[in-house]
Short mmCIF file of all heavy atoms in Angstrom, two decimals:
data_model
loop_
_atom_site.label_atom_id
_atom_site.label_comp_id
_atom_site.label_asym_id
_atom_site.label_seq_id
_atom_site.Cartn_x
_atom_site.Cartn_y
_atom_site.Cartn_z
N MET A 1 -14.20 18.66 47.91
CA MET A 1 -14.01 19.50 46.74
C MET A 1 -15.40 19.74 45.93
O MET A 1 -16.29 18.91 46.04
CB MET A 1 -13.15 18.73 45.71
CG MET A 1 -11.64 18.64 46.19
SD MET A 1 -10.62 17.70 45.03
CE MET A 1 -11.11 16.03 45.51
N ALA A 2 -15.42 20.97 45.57
CA ALA A 2 -16.86 21.38 44.99
C ALA A 2 -16.65 22.63 44.17
O ALA A 2 -15.49 22.84 43.69
CB ALA A 2 -17.76 21.54 46.04
N ARG A 3 -17.69 23.27 43.93
CA ARG A 3 -17.57 24.60 43.17
C ARG A 3 -16.65 25.51 43.78
O ARG A 3 -16.49 25.47 45.14
CB ARG A 3 -19.02 25.10 42.98
CG ARG A 3 -19.96 24.13 42.33
CD ARG A 3 -21.14 25.00 41.93
NE ARG A 3 -22.32 24.04 41.74
CZ ARG A 3 -23.29 24.47 41.01
NH1 ARG A 3 -23.42 25.74 40.52
NH2 ARG A 3 -24.34 23.62 40.69
N ARG A 4 -16.07 26.39 43.02
CA ARG A 4 -15.30 27.37 43.59
C ARG A 4 -15.82 28.67 43.04
O ARG A 4 -16.05 28.88 41.90
CB ARG A 4 -13.79 27.19 42.90
CG ARG A 4 -13.11 25.87 43.28
CD ARG A 4 -12.13 25.58 42.35
NE ARG A 4 -11.15 24.37 42.81
CZ ARG A 4 -11.72 23.11 42.79
NH1 ARG A 4 -12.92 22.88 42.41
NH2 ARG A 4 -10.81 22.20 43.18
N TYR A 5 -16.01 29.56 44.07
CA TYR A 5 -16.63 30.81 43.84
C TYR A 5 -15.74 31.95 43.53
O TYR A 5 -15.95 33.11 43.88
CB TYR A 5 -17.59 31.16 44.95
CG TYR A 5 -18.79 30.13 45.00
CD1 TYR A 5 -18.65 28.89 45.64
CD2 TYR A 5 -19.98 30.31 44.19
CE1 TYR A 5 -19.72 27.99 45.68
CE2 TYR A 5 -20.88 29.27 44.16
CZ TYR A 5 -20.78 28.09 44.90
OH TYR A 5 -21.70 27.14 44.78
N TYR A 6 -14.70 31.75 42.74
CA TYR A 6 -13.64 32.74 42.29
C TYR A 6 -13.37 32.51 40.84
O TYR A 6 -13.56 31.29 40.31
CB TYR A 6 -12.50 32.79 43.33
CG TYR A 6 -11.91 31.45 43.49
CD1 TYR A 6 -10.92 30.98 42.55
CD2 TYR A 6 -12.22 30.62 44.55
CE1 TYR A 6 -10.36 29.68 42.71
CE2 TYR A 6 -11.72 29.33 44.70
CZ TYR A 6 -10.68 28.96 43.78
OH TYR A 6 -10.11 27.74 44.10
N HIS A 7 -12.83 33.51 40.17
CA HIS A 7 -12.33 33.49 38.92
C HIS A 7 -11.25 32.41 38.80
O HIS A 7 -10.29 32.31 39.73
CB HIS A 7 -11.75 34.79 38.47
CG HIS A 7 -11.31 34.90 37.11
ND1 HIS A 7 -11.98 35.03 36.07
CD2 HIS A 7 -9.99 34.72 36.59
CE1 HIS A 7 -11.35 34.94 34.81
NE2 HIS A 7 -10.00 34.79 35.24
N PRO A 8 -11.16 31.59 37.55
CA PRO A 8 -11.98 31.56 36.55
C PRO A 8 -13.30 30.65 36.81
O PRO A 8 -13.98 30.43 35.64
CB PRO A 8 -11.14 31.23 35.48
CG PRO A 8 -10.18 30.21 36.08
CD PRO A 8 -10.10 30.57 37.51
N PHE A 9 -13.35 30.03 37.84
CA PHE A 9 -14.41 29.07 37.95
C PHE A 9 -15.92 29.84 38.20
O PHE A 9 -16.87 29.20 37.63
CB PHE A 9 -14.30 28.24 39.22
CG PHE A 9 -13.03 27.50 39.20
CD1 PHE A 9 -11.82 27.96 39.89
CD2 PHE A 9 -12.77 26.30 38.50
CE1 PHE A 9 -10.53 27.37 39.72
CE2 PHE A 9 -11.62 25.64 38.39
CZ PHE A 9 -10.41 26.14 39.05
N ASN A 10 -15.92 30.95 38.86
CA ASN A 10 -17.10 31.61 38.91
C ASN A 10 -18.30 30.92 39.46
O ASN A 10 -19.39 31.38 39.00
CB ASN A 10 -17.42 32.30 37.58
CG ASN A 10 -16.08 33.16 37.15
OD1 ASN A 10 -15.51 33.85 37.73
ND2 ASN A 10 -15.84 32.91 35.74
N GLY A 11 -18.18 29.93 40.25
CA GLY A 11 -19.24 29.29 40.98
C GLY A 11 -19.88 28.34 39.95
O GLY A 11 -21.00 27.73 40.23
N ASN A 12 -19.37 28.12 38.75
CA ASN A 12 -20.12 27.17 37.78
C ASN A 12 -19.86 25.72 38.11
O ASN A 12 -18.96 25.33 38.70
CB ASN A 12 -19.55 27.31 36.31
CG ASN A 12 -20.08 28.64 35.76
OD1 ASN A 12 -21.25 28.76 35.46
ND2 ASN A 12 -19.16 29.67 35.53
N ARG A 13 -20.89 24.98 37.85
CA ARG A 13 -20.75 23.47 38.02
C ARG A 13 -19.86 22.83 36.92
O ARG A 13 -19.08 21.98 37.43
CB ARG A 13 -22.28 22.87 37.73
CG ARG A 13 -22.24 21.29 38.06
CD ARG A 13 -23.52 20.81 38.06
NE ARG A 13 -23.49 19.26 38.30
CZ ARG A 13 -24.42 18.44 38.27
NH1 ARG A 13 -25.58 18.92 38.33
NH2 ARG A 13 -24.29 17.12 38.44
N TYR A 14 -19.89 23.28 35.69
CA TYR A 14 -19.25 22.48 34.66
C TYR A 14 -18.02 23.48 34.39
O TYR A 14 -18.29 24.73 34.08
CB TYR A 14 -19.96 22.14 33.43
CG TYR A 14 -21.08 21.16 33.83
CD1 TYR A 14 -22.32 21.50 34.14
CD2 TYR A 14 -20.76 19.76 33.85
CE1 TYR A 14 -23.28 20.51 34.47
CE2 TYR A 14 -21.59 18.79 34.19
CZ TYR A 14 -22.95 19.12 34.47
OH TYR A 14 -23.81 18.20 34.85
N ILE A 15 -16.89 22.87 34.06
CA ILE A 15 -15.71 23.71 33.63
C ILE A 15 -14.93 22.89 32.66
O ILE A 15 -14.92 21.71 32.77
CB ILE A 15 -14.74 24.21 34.71
CG1 ILE A 15 -14.02 23.06 35.51
CG2 ILE A 15 -15.50 25.11 35.86
CD1 ILE A 15 -12.62 23.05 35.11
N GLY A 16 -14.49 23.60 31.57
CA GLY A 16 -13.81 22.91 30.65
C GLY A 16 -12.39 23.22 30.59
O GLY A 16 -11.89 24.32 31.04
N ASN A 17 -11.61 22.21 30.36
CA ASN A 17 -10.15 22.43 30.19
C ASN A 17 -9.82 22.41 28.73
O ASN A 17 -9.87 21.43 28.10
CB ASN A 17 -9.48 21.25 30.93
CG ASN A 17 -7.85 21.31 30.84
OD1 ASN A 17 -7.36 22.05 29.95
ND2 ASN A 17 -7.27 20.48 31.75
N THR A 18 -9.30 23.64 28.15
CA THR A 18 -9.02 23.67 26.82
C THR A 18 -7.81 23.04 26.43
O THR A 18 -7.54 22.77 25.31
CB THR A 18 -8.96 25.14 26.30
OG1 THR A 18 -7.96 25.85 27.13
CG2 THR A 18 -10.34 25.80 26.60
N ASN A 19 -6.96 22.56 27.42
CA ASN A 19 -5.76 21.88 27.12
C ASN A 19 -6.00 20.47 26.78
O ASN A 19 -5.32 19.76 25.88
CB ASN A 19 -4.76 21.94 28.33
CG ASN A 19 -3.35 21.67 27.96
OD1 ASN A 19 -2.89 22.01 26.83
ND2 ASN A 19 -2.66 20.92 28.79
N THR A 20 -6.93 19.80 27.54
CA THR A 20 -7.34 18.51 27.30
C THR A 20 -8.55 18.30 26.60
O THR A 20 -8.86 17.16 26.23
CB THR A 20 -7.40 17.77 28.74
OG1 THR A 20 -8.42 18.37 29.45
CG2 THR A 20 -6.05 17.78 29.52
N ASN A 21 -9.23 19.28 26.38
CA ASN A 21 -10.66 19.29 25.71
C ASN A 21 -11.56 18.50 26.59
O ASN A 21 -12.56 17.78 25.92
CB ASN A 21 -10.61 18.85 24.26
CG ASN A 21 -11.49 19.44 23.57
OD1 ASN A 21 -11.98 20.47 23.50
ND2 ASN A 21 -12.23 18.41 22.71
N GLU A 22 -11.47 18.50 27.83
CA GLU A 22 -12.30 17.70 28.67
C GLU A 22 -13.17 18.60 29.57
O GLU A 22 -12.73 19.77 29.97
CB GLU A 22 -11.60 16.87 29.63
CG GLU A 22 -11.00 15.53 29.03
CD GLU A 22 -10.23 14.68 29.99
OE1 GLU A 22 -9.64 15.23 30.83
OE2 GLU A 22 -10.31 13.49 29.65
N VAL A 23 -14.47 18.14 29.92
CA VAL A 23 -15.29 18.85 30.77
C VAL A 23 -15.38 18.15 32.07
O VAL A 23 -15.40 16.96 32.06
CB VAL A 23 -16.71 19.10 30.13
CG1 VAL A 23 -17.41 17.76 29.68
CG2 VAL A 23 -17.62 19.80 31.10
N HIS A 24 -15.31 18.88 33.13
CA HIS A 24 -15.46 18.27 34.54
C HIS A 24 -16.80 18.83 35.18
O HIS A 24 -17.17 20.08 35.02
CB HIS A 24 -14.22 18.86 35.44
CG HIS A 24 -12.96 18.30 34.96
ND1 HIS A 24 -12.46 17.14 35.31
CD2 HIS A 24 -12.14 18.95 34.08
CE1 HIS A 24 -11.35 16.99 34.71
NE2 HIS A 24 -11.03 17.98 33.86
N ASP A 25 -17.28 18.00 36.11
CA ASP A 25 -18.54 18.31 36.91
C ASP A 25 -18.00 18.55 38.38
O ASP A 25 -17.77 17.59 38.98
CB ASP A 25 -19.45 17.17 36.95
CG ASP A 25 -20.77 17.36 37.67
OD1 ASP A 25 -20.78 18.29 38.31
OD2 ASP A 25 -21.47 16.41 37.79
N LEU A 26 -17.95 19.80 38.74
CA LEU A 26 -17.32 20.05 40.14
C LEU A 26 -18.28 19.57 41.27
O LEU A 26 -17.73 19.51 42.38
CB LEU A 26 -17.14 21.47 40.18
CG LEU A 26 -16.06 22.13 39.23
CD1 LEU A 26 -15.65 23.53 39.53
CD2 LEU A 26 -14.73 21.32 39.23
N GLU A 27 -19.66 19.22 40.88
CA GLU A 27 -20.43 18.74 42.05
C GLU A 27 -20.05 17.17 42.27
O GLU A 27 -20.37 16.71 43.21
CB GLU A 27 -21.93 18.79 41.60
CG GLU A 27 -22.38 20.30 41.37
CD GLU A 27 -22.82 20.79 42.63
OE1 GLU A 27 -23.71 20.29 43.30
OE2 GLU A 27 -22.18 21.85 43.11
N ASN A 28 -19.32 16.66 41.37
CA ASN A 28 -18.77 15.35 41.44
C ASN A 28 -17.34 15.17 41.39
O ASN A 28 -16.83 14.08 40.99
CB ASN A 28 -19.55 14.47 40.46
CG ASN A 28 -19.43 12.93 40.67
OD1 ASN A 28 -19.43 12.49 41.84
ND2 ASN A 28 -19.20 12.16 39.67
N GLU A 29 -16.63 16.17 41.64
CA GLU A 29 -15.25 16.20 41.50
C GLU A 29 -14.51 15.02 42.31
O GLU A 29 -14.88 14.85 43.45
CB GLU A 29 -14.62 17.58 41.93
CG GLU A 29 -13.11 17.82 41.74
CD GLU A 29 -12.73 19.06 42.38
OE1 GLU A 29 -13.50 19.93 42.67
OE2 GLU A 29 -11.47 19.30 42.37
N LYS A 30 -13.49 14.55 41.58
CA LYS A 30 -12.62 13.50 42.12
C LYS A 30 -11.26 14.03 42.20
O LYS A 30 -10.68 14.96 41.41
CB LYS A 30 -12.78 12.20 41.28
CG LYS A 30 -14.01 11.67 41.18
CD LYS A 30 -14.62 11.13 42.35
CE LYS A 30 -15.92 10.38 42.17
NZ LYS A 30 -17.06 11.27 42.20
N THR A 31 -10.31 13.45 43.14
CA THR A 31 -9.02 13.86 43.17
C THR A 31 -8.33 13.79 41.85
O THR A 31 -7.55 14.55 41.49
CB THR A 31 -8.26 12.90 44.24
OG1 THR A 31 -8.92 13.07 45.53
CG2 THR A 31 -6.77 13.51 44.48
N SER A 32 -8.61 12.65 41.16
CA SER A 32 -7.97 12.41 39.88
C SER A 32 -8.25 13.48 38.82
O SER A 32 -7.67 13.55 37.89
CB SER A 32 -8.39 11.09 39.31
OG SER A 32 -8.14 9.98 40.24
N CYS A 33 -9.31 14.18 39.09
CA CYS A 33 -9.66 15.32 38.08
C CYS A 33 -8.47 16.35 38.02
O CYS A 33 -8.26 17.02 37.08
CB CYS A 33 -10.98 16.09 38.50
SG CYS A 33 -12.35 15.06 38.18
N ARG A 34 -7.68 16.41 39.15
CA ARG A 34 -6.59 17.53 39.41
C ARG A 34 -7.05 18.78 38.93
O ARG A 34 -6.30 19.50 38.13
CB ARG A 34 -5.49 16.90 38.53
CG ARG A 34 -4.83 15.63 38.91
CD ARG A 34 -3.84 15.20 37.94
NE ARG A 34 -3.39 13.80 38.30
CZ ARG A 34 -2.31 13.60 39.09
NH1 ARG A 34 -1.57 14.64 39.64
NH2 ARG A 34 -2.02 12.35 39.39
N ILE A 35 -8.29 19.26 39.32
CA ILE A 35 -8.72 20.57 38.94
C ILE A 35 -7.66 21.76 39.30
O ILE A 35 -7.67 22.57 38.57
CB ILE A 35 -10.09 20.85 39.65
CG1 ILE A 35 -11.08 19.79 39.23
CG2 ILE A 35 -10.59 22.38 39.40
CD1 ILE A 35 -11.45 19.92 37.71
N ASN A 36 -7.08 21.63 40.50
CA ASN A 36 -6.29 22.59 41.04
C ASN A 36 -4.97 22.67 40.24
O ASN A 36 -4.24 23.61 40.38
CB ASN A 36 -5.94 22.40 42.51
CG ASN A 36 -7.29 22.60 43.34
OD1 ASN A 36 -8.08 23.48 42.90
ND2 ASN A 36 -7.44 21.90 44.35
N GLU A 37 -4.77 21.81 39.32
CA GLU A 37 -3.41 21.66 38.53
C GLU A 37 -3.72 22.33 37.18
O GLU A 37 -2.86 22.56 36.41
CB GLU A 37 -2.87 20.41 38.42
CG GLU A 37 -2.47 19.85 39.77
CD GLU A 37 -1.96 18.43 39.68
OE1 GLU A 37 -1.48 17.91 38.69
OE2 GLU A 37 -2.07 17.65 40.70
N ILE A 38 -4.96 22.56 36.74
CA ILE A 38 -5.32 23.22 35.47
C ILE A 38 -4.83 24.64 35.53
O ILE A 38 -5.26 25.43 36.33
CB ILE A 38 -6.87 23.06 35.12
CG1 ILE A 38 -7.30 21.52 35.14
CG2 ILE A 38 -7.06 23.60 33.77
CD1 ILE A 38 -8.76 21.44 35.14
N LYS A 39 -4.10 25.01 34.46
CA LYS A 39 -3.73 26.47 34.28
C LYS A 39 -5.05 27.21 34.15
O LYS A 39 -5.97 26.89 33.39
CB LYS A 39 -2.89 26.62 33.23
CG LYS A 39 -1.47 26.12 33.42
CD LYS A 39 -0.54 26.84 32.25
CE LYS A 39 0.90 26.54 32.58
NZ LYS A 39 1.27 25.20 32.11
N HIS A 40 -5.17 28.30 34.94
CA HIS A 40 -6.33 29.19 34.70
C HIS A 40 -6.66 29.67 33.25
O HIS A 40 -7.73 29.81 32.90
CB HIS A 40 -6.30 30.35 35.79
CG HIS A 40 -6.47 29.79 37.16
ND1 HIS A 40 -6.65 30.71 38.22
CD2 HIS A 40 -6.69 28.65 37.71
CE1 HIS A 40 -6.85 30.04 39.37
NE2 HIS A 40 -6.90 28.70 39.06
N ASP A 41 -5.70 29.78 32.49
CA ASP A 41 -5.74 30.22 31.10
C ASP A 41 -6.46 29.16 30.38
O ASP A 41 -6.99 29.41 29.22
CB ASP A 41 -4.40 30.39 30.43
CG ASP A 41 -3.74 31.74 30.96
OD1 ASP A 41 -4.36 32.37 31.67
OD2 ASP A 41 -2.49 31.89 30.55
N HIS A 42 -6.50 27.91 30.85
CA HIS A 42 -7.09 26.81 30.10
C HIS A 42 -8.53 26.47 30.65
O HIS A 42 -9.06 25.46 30.18
CB HIS A 42 -6.31 25.49 30.32
CG HIS A 42 -4.95 25.55 29.55
ND1 HIS A 42 -3.74 24.90 29.98
CD2 HIS A 42 -4.40 26.33 28.49
CE1 HIS A 42 -2.72 25.17 29.18
NE2 HIS A 42 -3.17 26.09 28.32
N ILE A 43 -9.11 27.19 31.56
CA ILE A 43 -10.33 26.97 32.09
C ILE A 43 -11.34 27.80 31.34
O ILE A 43 -11.19 29.09 31.26
CB ILE A 43 -10.35 27.20 33.52
CG1 ILE A 43 -9.47 26.10 34.25
CG2 ILE A 43 -11.80 27.28 33.99
CD1 ILE A 43 -9.31 26.31 35.68
N VAL A 44 -12.56 27.23 30.82
CA VAL A 44 -13.57 27.92 30.39
C VAL A 44 -14.86 27.46 31.10
O VAL A 44 -14.99 26.33 31.68
CB VAL A 44 -13.81 27.65 28.77
CG1 VAL A 44 -12.59 28.25 28.09
CG2 VAL A 44 -13.89 26.18 28.53
N ASN A 45 -15.70 28.45 31.07
CA ASN A 45 -17.11 28.24 31.68
C ASN A 45 -18.04 27.99 30.46
O ASN A 45 -17.72 28.25 29.25
CB ASN A 45 -17.57 29.42 32.39
CG ASN A 45 -16.74 29.83 33.61
OD1 ASN A 45 -16.60 31.00 33.87
ND2 ASN A 45 -16.15 28.77 34.14
N PHE A 46 -19.25 27.54 30.76
CA PHE A 46 -20.29 27.29 29.67
C PHE A 46 -21.53 28.09 29.99
O PHE A 46 -21.93 28.39 31.08
CB PHE A 46 -20.65 25.79 29.61
CG PHE A 46 -19.36 25.00 29.26
CD1 PHE A 46 -18.79 24.19 30.32
CD2 PHE A 46 -18.87 24.90 28.15
CE1 PHE A 46 -17.78 23.41 30.10
CE2 PHE A 46 -17.69 24.10 27.87
CZ PHE A 46 -17.09 23.36 28.88
N ASN A 47 -22.08 28.50 28.87
CA ASN A 47 -23.28 29.45 29.00
C ASN A 47 -24.31 28.94 27.99
O ASN A 47 -24.21 29.02 26.87
CB ASN A 47 -22.99 30.83 28.69
CG ASN A 47 -24.26 31.74 28.85
OD1 ASN A 47 -25.15 31.40 29.53
ND2 ASN A 47 -24.21 32.92 28.28
N PRO A 48 -25.32 28.20 28.50
CA PRO A 48 -25.64 27.90 29.94
C PRO A 48 -24.71 26.97 30.62
O PRO A 48 -24.11 26.17 29.94
CB PRO A 48 -27.08 27.30 29.94
CG PRO A 48 -27.12 26.66 28.62
CD PRO A 48 -26.39 27.61 27.69
N ASP A 49 -24.69 26.81 31.92
CA ASP A 49 -23.73 26.05 32.64
C ASP A 49 -24.34 24.71 32.76
O ASP A 49 -24.82 24.15 33.85
CB ASP A 49 -23.55 26.63 34.09
CG ASP A 49 -22.72 25.77 34.89
OD1 ASP A 49 -21.83 25.08 34.41
OD2 ASP A 49 -22.79 25.86 36.13
N THR A 50 -24.31 23.98 31.72
CA THR A 50 -24.88 22.60 31.56
C THR A 50 -23.83 21.73 30.74
O THR A 50 -23.07 22.00 30.04
CB THR A 50 -26.17 22.52 30.69
OG1 THR A 50 -25.88 23.02 29.38
CG2 THR A 50 -27.27 23.42 31.35
N HIS A 51 -24.10 20.37 31.03
CA HIS A 51 -23.24 19.29 30.35
C HIS A 51 -23.46 19.30 28.94
O HIS A 51 -22.66 19.20 28.12
CB HIS A 51 -23.62 18.00 31.06
CG HIS A 51 -22.71 16.82 30.43
ND1 HIS A 51 -23.26 15.69 29.86
CD2 HIS A 51 -21.39 16.64 30.44
CE1 HIS A 51 -22.30 15.02 29.31
NE2 HIS A 51 -21.12 15.60 29.72
N ALA A 52 -24.77 19.54 28.54
CA ALA A 52 -25.23 19.56 27.17
C ALA A 52 -24.61 20.60 26.42
O ALA A 52 -24.10 20.44 25.20
CB ALA A 52 -26.78 19.73 27.10
N GLN A 53 -24.24 21.85 26.95
CA GLN A 53 -23.60 22.89 26.28
C GLN A 53 -22.09 22.51 26.12
O GLN A 53 -21.58 22.79 25.03
CB GLN A 53 -23.76 24.24 27.15
CG GLN A 53 -23.13 25.35 26.48
CD GLN A 53 -23.74 25.69 25.07
OE1 GLN A 53 -24.85 25.41 24.87
NE2 GLN A 53 -22.84 26.28 24.23
N ALA A 54 -21.55 21.89 27.13
CA ALA A 54 -20.18 21.43 26.98
C ALA A 54 -19.94 20.51 25.71
O ALA A 54 -19.10 20.56 25.04
CB ALA A 54 -19.70 20.87 28.21
N LYS A 55 -21.00 19.58 25.60
CA LYS A 55 -20.88 18.66 24.54
C LYS A 55 -21.11 19.37 23.19
O LYS A 55 -20.42 18.98 22.24
CB LYS A 55 -21.98 17.55 24.70
CG LYS A 55 -21.90 16.71 26.02
CD LYS A 55 -20.57 16.05 26.12
CE LYS A 55 -20.34 14.81 25.40
NZ LYS A 55 -19.12 14.18 25.62
N ARG A 56 -22.15 20.37 23.18
CA ARG A 56 -22.25 21.09 22.04
C ARG A 56 -20.92 21.78 21.49
O ARG A 56 -20.69 22.00 20.28
CB ARG A 56 -23.27 22.18 22.25
CG ARG A 56 -24.73 21.66 21.90
CD ARG A 56 -25.71 22.76 21.68
NE ARG A 56 -26.02 23.33 23.04
CZ ARG A 56 -26.87 23.01 23.91
NH1 ARG A 56 -27.70 21.94 23.60
NH2 ARG A 56 -27.12 23.67 25.10
N GLU A 57 -20.07 22.08 22.46
CA GLU A 57 -18.91 22.85 22.15
C GLU A 57 -17.70 21.90 21.94
O GLU A 57 -16.62 22.22 21.81
CB GLU A 57 -18.56 23.85 23.25
CG GLU A 57 -19.62 25.04 23.43
CD GLU A 57 -19.20 26.01 24.42
OE1 GLU A 57 -18.11 26.19 24.79
OE2 GLU A 57 -20.17 26.64 24.93
N GLY A 58 -18.11 20.55 22.03
CA GLY A 58 -17.09 19.60 21.59
C GLY A 58 -16.20 19.05 22.60
O GLY A 58 -15.12 18.42 22.41
N PHE A 59 -16.53 19.31 23.89
CA PHE A 59 -15.66 18.76 25.01
C PHE A 59 -16.02 17.37 25.24
O PHE A 59 -17.13 16.95 25.05
CB PHE A 59 -15.91 19.61 26.22
CG PHE A 59 -15.13 20.94 26.24
CD1 PHE A 59 -15.72 21.97 25.60
CD2 PHE A 59 -14.02 21.05 26.78
CE1 PHE A 59 -15.09 23.28 25.53
CE2 PHE A 59 -13.24 22.25 26.82
CZ PHE A 59 -13.88 23.35 26.12
N ASP A 60 -15.04 16.58 25.55
CA ASP A 60 -15.01 15.10 25.94
C ASP A 60 -15.28 15.01 27.46
O ASP A 60 -14.83 16.01 28.23
CB ASP A 60 -13.93 14.48 25.63
CG ASP A 60 -14.09 12.95 25.76
OD1 ASP A 60 -15.14 12.37 25.88
OD2 ASP A 60 -12.85 12.31 25.86
N ASN A 61 -16.08 13.95 27.89
CA ASN A 61 -16.22 13.98 29.42
C ASN A 61 -14.92 13.54 30.22
O ASN A 61 -14.18 12.80 29.69
CB ASN A 61 -17.23 12.82 29.72
CG ASN A 61 -18.64 12.98 29.19
OD1 ASN A 61 -18.97 14.17 28.87
ND2 ASN A 61 -19.42 11.94 29.09
N CYS A 62 -14.79 14.11 31.27
CA CYS A 62 -13.70 13.61 32.24
C CYS A 62 -14.09 12.10 32.57
O CYS A 62 -15.23 11.89 32.99
CB CYS A 62 -13.71 14.55 33.39
SG CYS A 62 -12.55 13.83 34.65
N ALA A 63 -13.14 11.21 32.59
CA ALA A 63 -13.45 9.86 33.04
C ALA A 63 -13.77 9.70 34.40
O ALA A 63 -14.42 8.71 34.78
CB ALA A 63 -12.19 9.03 32.61
N TYR A 64 -13.32 10.63 35.29
CA TYR A 64 -13.44 10.45 36.67
C TYR A 64 -14.88 11.06 37.42
O TYR A 64 -15.51 10.37 38.03
CB TYR A 64 -12.30 11.10 37.45
CG TYR A 64 -11.08 10.55 36.94
CD1 TYR A 64 -10.14 11.32 36.08
CD2 TYR A 64 -10.72 9.26 37.19
CE1 TYR A 64 -8.96 10.79 35.62
CE2 TYR A 64 -9.39 8.74 36.70
CZ TYR A 64 -8.66 9.43 35.89
OH TYR A 64 -7.42 9.00 35.41
N CYS A 65 -15.09 12.27 36.96
CA CYS A 65 -16.20 12.94 37.45
C CYS A 65 -17.51 12.79 36.76
O CYS A 65 -18.55 12.98 37.20
CB CYS A 65 -15.96 14.44 37.83
SG CYS A 65 -15.58 15.29 36.39
N ILE A 66 -17.36 12.54 35.29
CA ILE A 66 -18.62 12.24 34.54
C ILE A 66 -18.70 10.99 34.00
O ILE A 66 -19.74 10.23 34.01
CB ILE A 66 -18.65 13.45 33.46
CG1 ILE A 66 -18.58 14.70 33.98
CG2 ILE A 66 -19.82 13.06 32.56
CD1 ILE A 66 -18.56 15.80 32.93
N GLY A 67 -17.55 10.37 33.47
CA GLY A 67 -17.62 8.95 32.78
C GLY A 67 -17.86 9.03 31.48
O GLY A 67 -18.22 10.13 30.81
N ASN A 68 -17.84 7.77 30.86
CA ASN A 68 -18.03 7.79 29.41
C ASN A 68 -17.10 8.48 28.53
O ASN A 68 -17.61 9.12 27.49
CB ASN A 68 -19.55 8.10 29.05
CG ASN A 68 -20.36 6.91 29.26
OD1 ASN A 68 -20.12 5.71 28.99
ND2 ASN A 68 -21.58 7.07 29.88
N SER A 69 -15.91 8.63 29.08
CA SER A 69 -14.94 9.40 28.17
C SER A 69 -14.71 8.67 26.89
O SER A 69 -14.46 7.50 26.84
CB SER A 69 -13.68 9.54 29.10
OG SER A 69 -12.68 10.20 28.15
N LYS A 70 -14.59 9.49 25.85
CA LYS A 70 -14.35 8.85 24.48
C LYS A 70 -12.74 8.51 24.38
O LYS A 70 -12.45 7.66 23.53
CB LYS A 70 -14.71 9.79 23.35
CG LYS A 70 -16.14 9.80 23.20
CD LYS A 70 -16.46 10.70 21.95
CE LYS A 70 -17.39 11.77 22.25
NZ LYS A 70 -17.51 12.92 21.28
N TYR A 71 -11.91 9.19 25.04
CA TYR A 71 -10.48 8.87 24.93
C TYR A 71 -9.83 8.46 26.13
O TYR A 71 -10.36 8.65 27.28
CB TYR A 71 -9.84 10.14 24.47
CG TYR A 71 -10.36 10.68 23.25
CD1 TYR A 71 -11.32 11.83 23.07
CD2 TYR A 71 -10.20 10.06 21.99
CE1 TYR A 71 -11.89 12.34 22.10
CE2 TYR A 71 -10.76 10.55 20.73
CZ TYR A 71 -11.60 11.63 20.73
OH TYR A 71 -12.19 11.97 19.59
ZN1 ZN B 101 -13.28 15.49 36.36
#
């Protein structure tokens, strides 16, 4: 499992799930992330494509691929 080069992932490393408000790192994706179960309407990209940007936008870390989840 890794980056996906199609919409709405667009090859980005970090993707946000607006339903759970969590950010995932696709370079370290785990089965428990259940990326393929996220509705595409709930997926957002970050610009720039960095973890810092996801945090600036208020996303919480995924406990599986990033760790240090607040919830
Ligand atoms: Zn994850």
Side-chain angles (χ1 to χ4, degrees):
M1 291 182 282
R3 299 193 195 199
R4 292 154 173 79
Y5 292 91
Y6 50 84
H7 181 80
F9 302 98
N10 305 319
N12 285 295
R13 175 171 180 177
Y14 294 98
I15 64 113
N17 178 344
T18 59
N19 194 43
T20 61
N21 204 44
E22 286 182 329
V23 54
H24 297 271
D25 177 0
L26 295 189
E27 295 279 296
N28 191 41
E29 183 183 346
K30 304 292 189 276
T31 306
S32 301
C33 291
R34 299 174 183 269
I35 299 294
N36 292 327
E37 295 176 27
I38 303 172
K39 285 199 172 81
H40 285 185
D41 286 353
H42 292 153
I43 290 175
V44 292
N45 300 147
F46 300 104
N47 184 19
D49 180 26
T50 62
H51 182 244
Q53 183 61 29
K55 300 306 283 185
R56 271 194 289 274
E57 294 184 26
F59 282 80
D60 187 23
N61 293 345
C62 169
Y64 306 108
C65 61
I66 300 176
N68 278 323
S69 173
K70 281 188 240 162
Y71 304 104

